[in-house]
Amino acid sequence: MKLVKIHNSSTLDFYSADVSAELALPLASSEIAAGFPSPADDHLELKLDLNRALVRHPNATFYGRVKGYSMVDAGIGEGDLLVIDKSLEPKEGDIAVCFLDGEFTVKRIGRQDGGLCLLPANEGFEPIPVTGESDFQVWGVVTYVIHKTR
């Protein structure tokens, strides 16, 4: 997966999705227990290509690197890499990259007081109402979050 930076803003850096290269990585053939350990699988016979697994619409998919902490309770933190699909129709409850009044932001799409609202996932941030006067566009729907653990 090769990333080419195409735009940066105060809240997100955007990259194009180059899925022309194939990179098949070993995949454990059994599930990995997040609770109690299970007997290990000695054979890694399956292959997984992250380009194929994460990108369904290559011409409409971009990556964004997160700046800020407004979505930490949704598992999205500073430096995380978002897979963003512009071809998907946004729905209430989706986490999306939105363009609002000249700025990009990643928030959950919701309703509040009967109107459209961008909902952060951090108590330190307020919901952002979208009004008829807002310059607003859902830029793309976040389909995956790649979170560095170390």
Side-chain angles (χ1 to χ4, degrees):
M1 187 180 312
K2 181 180 175 184
L3 301 180
V4 177
K5 187 181 269 190
I6 56 174
H7 180 76
N8 63 349
S9 73
S10 62
T11 55
L12 289 168
D13 289 335
F14 292 94
Y15 302 87
S16 66
D18 178 0
V19 296
S20 60
E22 185 174 311
L23 177 60
L25 301 172
L27 174 67
S29 59
S30 64
E31 295 178 353
I32 298 172
F36 294 104
S38 65
D41 187 355
D42 293 335
H43 301 284
L44 300 176
E45 297 175 4
L46 301 174
K47 297 288 183 184
L48 172 69
D49 181 342
L50 290 176
N51 286 333
R52 292 183 189 273
L54 302 180
V55 178
R56 293 210 172 155
H57 306 107
N59 293 331
T61 299
F62 295 84
Y63 302 102
R65 189 165 307 277
V66 176
K67 297 177 183 176
Y69 300 94
S70 70
M71 296 299 289
V72 293
D73 292 339
I76 300 174
E78 173 86 10
D80 285 353
L81 192 62
L82 307 176
V83 179
I84 306 159
D85 191 332
K86 292 185 70 169
S87 70
L88 298 177
E89 186 71 30
K91 300 182 297 191
E92 186 173 348
D94 280 344
I95 294 175
V97 172
C98 302
F99 185 79
L100 178 66
D101 297 330
E103 296 283 335
F104 285 100
T105 187
V106 59
K107 298 286 182 287
R108 188 174 303 278
I109 298 171
R111 295 214 169 265
Q112 198 170 54
D113 300 326
L116 182 63
C117 194
L118 300 180
L119 303 171
N122 180 333
E123 291 181 1
F125 292 81
E126 295 292 324
I128 303 170
V130 178
T131 66
E133 292 80 36
S134 301
D135 179 15
F136 175 74
Q137 176 184 7
V138 175
W139 195 78
V141 175
V142 175
T143 55
Y144 291 94
V145 178
I146 300 171
H147 180 82
K148 187 175 182 179
T149 59
R150 183 174 178 188

